[in-house]
Amino acid sequence: MIYHVCHFFFRTRLVKSFIDNLDRVWQLIESFPRTLVHYDFTPRNVCIRKREMTMNDKQSKFITESKLRRVSCVYDWEMATIHAPHHDVVEFLAFVLPAKSDIAVRTNFVLFYQEQLETFSGRTFDSEQFMDVFNAVCCVYALHQLSLKTITHSVTRLPYFERAVQSHMGFLEDLEAMGRLEFLNVKPF
């Protein structure tokens, strides 16, 4: 019980630090090129083709179960908006990674996404800035999308939601513990 109360207060203070530094968070996000994002990019809104692909196929692809797969359809676009291209990856990873996973797992997916974005856009991005923007988008996602989904969850129980919250907030807590939210000037607790 004491652990849960302490954890709640730690998480509350972390979220408060996002709110207190929101101008800085948005400055960092807006320093990066923006694009159309889905803004509800979860497994429920993605249809994946089961056929195996070859490495020569230049279409949209990603790796699952050690085999390349193709996203054949992304639907439910009513929330689409202009944002940093990191947003949909932030959301998707919250929903597909376990409640507690090594920070390197998420980081490796982000680096893979950066490589794919560079390949398909023809641009190169500074890796440190790319990761800082990803982390800033994670802060905004915690404030915006998770709070909205929490309201929905309180009315209609979403069986996957609590794990997604634990996955996302656990990642942010790990970042803070490693000093990787310094761009926020987060003060140690």
Side-chain angles (χ1 to χ4, degrees):
M1 174 73 167
I2 292 174
Y3 168 79
H4 293 294
V5 171
C6 291
H7 191 81
F8 171 78
F9 284 115
F10 176 79
R11 190 167 279 178
T12 301
R13 291 177 74 181
L14 184 60
V15 170
K16 184 179 179 322
S17 72
F18 303 158
I19 294 168
D20 291 345
N21 292 286
L22 205 49
D23 288 342
R24 190 165 319 166
V25 171
W26 276 110
Q27 281 178 336
L28 183 55
I29 292 170
E30 290 173 354
S31 73
F32 202 85
R34 287 176 276 173
T35 190
L36 177 68
V37 296
H38 185 275
Y39 218 66
D40 193 19
F41 196 73
T42 66
R44 297 175 332 277
N45 291 331
V46 176
C47 181
I48 300 171
R49 216 181 270 179
K50 289 186 179 181
R51 87 171 172 83
E52 201 169 324
M53 295 173 50
T54 66
M55 290 300 289
N56 295 330
D57 193 338
K58 296 288 186 191
Q59 302 274 336
S60 296
K61 59 188 176 191
F62 66 98
I63 299 172
T64 180
E65 299 172 21
S66 301
K67 295 181 181 176
L68 291 172
R69 305 291 177 152
R70 177 179 296 156
V71 173
S72 61
C73 179
V74 178
Y75 49 93
D76 200 11
W77 283 84
E78 78 275 2
M79 293 177 64
T81 189
I82 303 298
H83 204 299
H86 309 65
H87 183 276
D88 289 340
V89 175
V90 166
E91 184 157 40
F92 195 77
L93 292 177
F95 279 83
V96 299
L97 293 180
K100 187 66 179 157
S101 63
D102 188 305
I103 198 167
V105 172
R106 196 171 306 238
T107 301
N108 288 337
F109 277 116
V110 175
L111 294 174
F112 174 77
Y113 174 66
Q114 179 183 352
E115 290 171 8
Q116 295 302 302
L117 187 60
E118 289 176 344
T119 298
F120 287 98
S121 71
R123 298 180 71 173
T124 55
F125 304 106
D126 176 75
S127 292
E128 185 176 336
Q129 181 196 22
F130 195 89
M131 201 64 196
D132 282 348
V133 172
F134 179 84
N135 294 341
V137 172
C138 284
C139 298
V140 170
Y141 181 77
L143 294 174
H144 292 179
Q145 271 62 41
L146 289 183
S147 61
L148 290 173
K149 290 177 191 309
T150 299
I151 294 167
T152 303
H153 183 63
S154 69
V155 176
T156 304
R157 193 121 179 102
L158 307 172
Y160 51 83
F161 180 67
E162 290 177 24
R163 187 195 49 75
V165 169
Q166 295 307 322
S167 172
H168 188 74
M169 293 306 297
F171 173 69
L172 288 169
E173 290 164 355
D174 289 347
L175 286 179
E176 197 279 328
M178 295 172 69
R180 291 181 51 194
L181 295 178
E182 289 301 315
F183 65 90
L184 289 175
N185 262 345
V186 175
K187 294 179 180 103
F189 298 113

